[in-house]
Amino acid sequence: DILAYKNGTSRSGMIDRILAQHVSYVTPEMRLSQIFQHLENQLCRNDDFQLLAQPSNTMMSLRSALAFKYNPTVHYSVQLDRTIGDVVTGEFRASMRTQNVSLISALQAFYRTWIRVEAQATGGSEYTIDKDRFSRKIAYREKNGTTFEETMTSYIRVFDQALKAYFKYIGNLEYAEKEVERIYHEHFA
């Protein structure tokens, strides 16, 4: 019970972890923990992202400052399904809590640009835009020695870099969109 408490898990969860370690088995919970630890280590080592309190062991939340009027904060989250096998599934989300109509409009325009660029490059995914929120379904099969956590780390960095470039050049929308395309293709082409 003391060990479970120290590790922030239940007694049965601690027993599962001990047994899995004893037979060198990685449980889905252990794999989720590995993924989120990697994301935290890679994304939060500079001041680009700040880790937020984690609402559950299947979700990780970060925030990043956006250089725009009133310095809004962008929140990113990655929620993964517990059933980790050959394919990692879940959802990536980006949001900004704001009531500013022009900011929401600009944010939606960025999301539509990102979706268009990504869909042209990959054939797309399942996306949702709702006011200031963007979500993308994740279904990732590890290939060519590239892990999910490496790919997700790159995705979050590139998304954030493209968002910041878009808002930097928002006065010239055509150029802002071209910057999003350039950044995406520079990293994922």
Side-chain angles (χ1 to χ4, degrees):
D1 287 339
I2 293 170
L3 189 57
Y5 178 77
K6 286 181 180 178
N7 285 281
T9 189
S10 65
R11 179 190 303 172
S12 62
M14 194 70 235
I15 291 169
D16 286 347
R17 186 182 298 175
I18 291 168
L19 291 173
Q21 288 173 341
H22 184 71
V23 296
S24 300
Y25 176 75
V26 178
T27 66
E29 289 78 14
M30 292 166 67
R31 181 67 178 116
L32 287 173
S33 180
Q34 290 171 350
I35 289 170
F36 292 141
Q37 188 63 52
H38 179 89
L39 290 173
E40 180 182 349
N41 290 343
Q42 294 301 307
L43 294 170
C44 297
R45 64 180 172 192
N46 300 331
D47 290 333
D48 296 336
F49 298 94
Q50 182 181 18
L51 186 66
L52 299 173
Q54 302 312 311
S56 76
N57 61 356
T58 61
M59 177 184 258
M60 176 181 204
S61 298
L62 305 159
R63 73 177 172 194
S64 176
L66 183 63
F68 193 69
K69 191 175 185 179
Y70 308 118
N71 295 318
T73 302
V74 183
H75 291 249
Y76 298 113
S77 65
V78 177
Q79 181 157 5
L80 300 176
D81 299 329
R82 285 184 179 273
T83 54
I84 294 182
D86 292 349
V87 179
V88 178
T89 60
E91 191 170 54
F92 166 76
R93 298 181 192 125
S95 65
M96 187 182 307
R97 294 182 186 209
T98 183
Q99 298 299 317
N100 184 316
V101 176
S102 63
L103 181 57
I104 291 172
S105 177
L107 201 53
Q108 289 177 344
F110 166 77
Y111 294 155
R112 286 189 300 274
T113 300
W114 179 265
I115 290 169
R116 178 183 51 78
V117 170
E118 188 169 38
Q120 287 173 346
T122 67
S125 183
E126 187 178 330
Y127 304 96
T128 305
I129 298 173
D130 181 30
K131 294 184 183 177
D132 64 340
R133 295 183 182 107
F134 167 87
S135 65
R136 179 192 190 274
K137 294 289 185 189
I138 299 168
Y140 181 83
R141 182 179 306 277
E142 294 184 355
K143 54 187 177 271
N144 301 331
T146 303
T147 65
F148 169 77
E149 47 266 51
E150 292 168 332
T151 302
M152 197 71 231
T153 298
S154 294
Y155 189 86
I156 294 169
R157 274 196 182 126
V158 172
F159 188 96
D160 189 64
Q161 184 182 354
L163 177 65
K164 289 175 178 175
Y166 185 88
F167 274 86
K168 180 178 180 180
Y169 300 110
I170 201 157
N172 181 347
L173 285 178
E174 185 178 328
Y175 186 77
E177 289 179 1
K178 289 191 184 309
E179 273 298 286
V180 171
E181 289 179 37
R182 181 192 65 76
I183 290 166
Y184 185 91
H185 291 297
E186 183 177 289
H187 290 88
F188 294 124

